[in-house]
């Protein structure tokens, strides 16, 4: 759980509450932006569909930026497996370079 990795000194409830508050604020701002942009877009599908793609791309880029800022200080099973595979791959490459020299 990503919230659990942020929790320190058993404050998971505080972290979860703050995450919920941020979600509500973001949802409210998104709704307000939709109300403001809606009259500009109108009801023409040739305008709505590109607007949908633009806003979806913007949303995905914001999510990507947010996720790249997260630093998890614990290893889940999946992250441990990825780290181990990468370590073994690099070790194998290093051994290949040393043996071929």
């Amino acid at each position: 759980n990503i919230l659990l990795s942020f929790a320190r000194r058993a404050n998971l409830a505080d972290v979860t509450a703050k995450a919920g508050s941020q979600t509500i604020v973001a949802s409210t701002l998104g709704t307000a932006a939709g109300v403001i942009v809606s009259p500009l877009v109108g009801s023409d599908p040739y305008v709505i569909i590109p607007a949908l793609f633009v806003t979806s791309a913007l949303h995905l880029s914001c999510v990507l930026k947010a996720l790249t800022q997260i630093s998890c200080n614990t290893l889940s099973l999946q992250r441990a497996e990825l780290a181990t595979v990468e370590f073994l791959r690099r070790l194998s490459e290093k051994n290949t370079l040393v043996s071929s020299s």
Side-chain angles (χ1 to χ4, degrees), residues 2-17:
I2 198 165
L3 295 178
L4 187 58
S5 68
F6 291 138
R8 300 199 190 274
R9 293 176 296 215
N11 66 343
L12 182 58
D14 292 337
V15 172
T16 304

Side-chain angles (χ1 to χ4, degrees), residues 81-97:
E81 181 182 4
L82 289 172
T84 303
V85 167
E86 181 64 18
F87 173 77
L88 292 174
R89 184 188 66 78
R90 289 183 184 190
L91 185 64
S92 174
E93 286 178 359
K94 182 179 177 184
N95 288 339
T96 303
L97 289 176

